Amino acid sequence: MIIRKIEKTISIALFTVAFLAGSVLLPYTSIFALASKQPGFDMQVRNVSDGENFAGNPTSVSLEAGEVAQMRMQINNPEKGNDIDSLRVKAFFNADANPNKFHTAVKADNLDWIGAEVSVSVPTGYFLEYVSGSTVIDLDDRPEFMTRTNIDDINGTTPLAFADGYEVTNLKGGPNTWMWVYFKVKATETKPTVINPRLDLEKVVANTSKGQTLKEDRTSTTASTGDTISCQ
């Protein structure tokens, strides 16, 4: 989230307080610009244990016991001006034996979810289990600009598994706006524990100059010039 220091009128300050108390993760500078067109989206998979790569954009994989596959979600937003404020990225993990498909989806701003899938094959009675710590995001397709981010698990669960997925903000439209999301799964004989959690956020605000505290659980306040506002 982008937060900029406000040093103008009190009306702007009040808007900032209301915004911080009532929403999260949307960039302050572009909250009124929503994507009007869907990004391009597809998915590939490779067998890491066999040394396979993504050449040819493979969409199926066969795993033996204990072998690991890496999934790649590929998102492209090529149209200039079709800026995406909030892009949610989701992977659908389950504990079904003998899976033959793996599904993912993305959602840009207020547009519908769009999905993609790859085919998988595991030994009879085997499952697909998420490999802890394997979620990675790459941005841009030019080597001099590529940015890699390792996405931390939350209690051993990738944020991709959350009910609303993982959120990326400020994805600009343009010819080099590529994003790749990687994660790994393993063929296992033990049925994995799969959860689809939610992350509920509570936001409170206090005008500490007026003696208010965050413990009062206020969701709104007023401020005068020079007042100090705390948000949690």
Side-chain angles (χ1 to χ4, degrees):
M1 178 173 65
I2 299 174
I3 302 175
R4 291 188 174 182
K5 186 177 181 181
I6 303 300
E7 295 180 337
K8 293 186 179 180
T9 66
I10 187 61
S11 61
I12 295 177
L14 287 173
F15 171 77
T16 305
V17 170
F19 175 69
L20 288 174
S23 60
V24 293
L25 294 176
L26 291 180
Y28 177 84
T29 54
S30 59
I31 60 174
F32 300 113
L34 301 178
S36 60
K37 295 185 178 181
Q38 295 281 15
F41 178 50
D42 60 15
M43 186 179 174
Q44 294 89 38
V45 62
R46 69 187 182 104
N47 186 325
V48 176
S49 300
D50 274 355
E52 295 178 358
N53 56 43
F54 289 112
N57 295 324
T59 57
S60 63
V61 68
S62 180
L63 300 177
E64 298 298 330
E67 289 189 333
V68 173
Q70 184 178 46
M71 308 285 181
R72 179 171 75 173
M73 305 166 66
Q74 182 170 280
I75 302 128
N76 181 25
N77 188 31
E79 186 167 331
K80 188 174 182 180
N82 189 48
D83 300 338
I84 299 173
D85 276 336
S86 172
L87 181 72
R88 293 195 173 274
V89 186
K90 183 174 176 61
F92 294 86
F93 296 91
N94 60 58
D96 296 338
N98 312 316
N100 54 29
K101 299 285 185 182
F102 194 99
H103 303 269
T104 60
V106 297
K107 178 177 173 59
D109 292 328
N110 295 329
L111 301 177
D112 294 335
W113 285 92
I114 54 176
E117 66 180 28
V118 293
S119 299
V120 295
S121 175
V122 298
T124 301
Y126 273 66
F127 306 83
L128 285 180
E129 182 178 34
Y130 171 69
V131 177
S132 298
S134 65
T135 304
V136 176
I137 292 181
D138 285 348
L139 293 175
D140 207 313
D141 63 346
R142 296 167 292 179
E144 64 270 31
F145 292 104
M146 183 173 286
T147 300
R148 168 157 289 190
T149 304
N150 294 303
I151 306 301
D152 291 337
D153 295 339
I154 299 176
N155 291 337
T157 299
T158 173
L160 300 176
F162 276 57
D164 294 325
Y166 180 76
E167 184 177 40
V168 177
T169 61
N170 277 329
L171 190 67
K172 301 298 182 181
N176 294 295
T177 305
W178 289 86
M179 185 172 83
W180 293 269
V181 181
Y182 298 89
F183 60 93
K184 294 177 182 178
V185 292
K186 181 180 181 180
T188 176
E189 199 171 11
T190 303
K191 184 175 182 178
T193 299
V194 176
I195 59 175
N196 185 229
R198 290 185 56 183
L199 185 62
D200 293 322
L201 302 177
E202 296 182 1
K203 296 140 294 190
V204 296
V205 63
N207 185 333
T208 55
S209 297
K210 292 183 178 179
Q212 297 174 2
T213 69
L214 294 172
K215 292 182 179 180
E216 295 170 342
D217 293 332
R218 297 173 181 268
T219 57
S220 64
T221 190
T222 59
S224 302
T225 302
D227 283 359
T228 300
I229 305 299
S230 295
C231 297
Q232 177 177 286

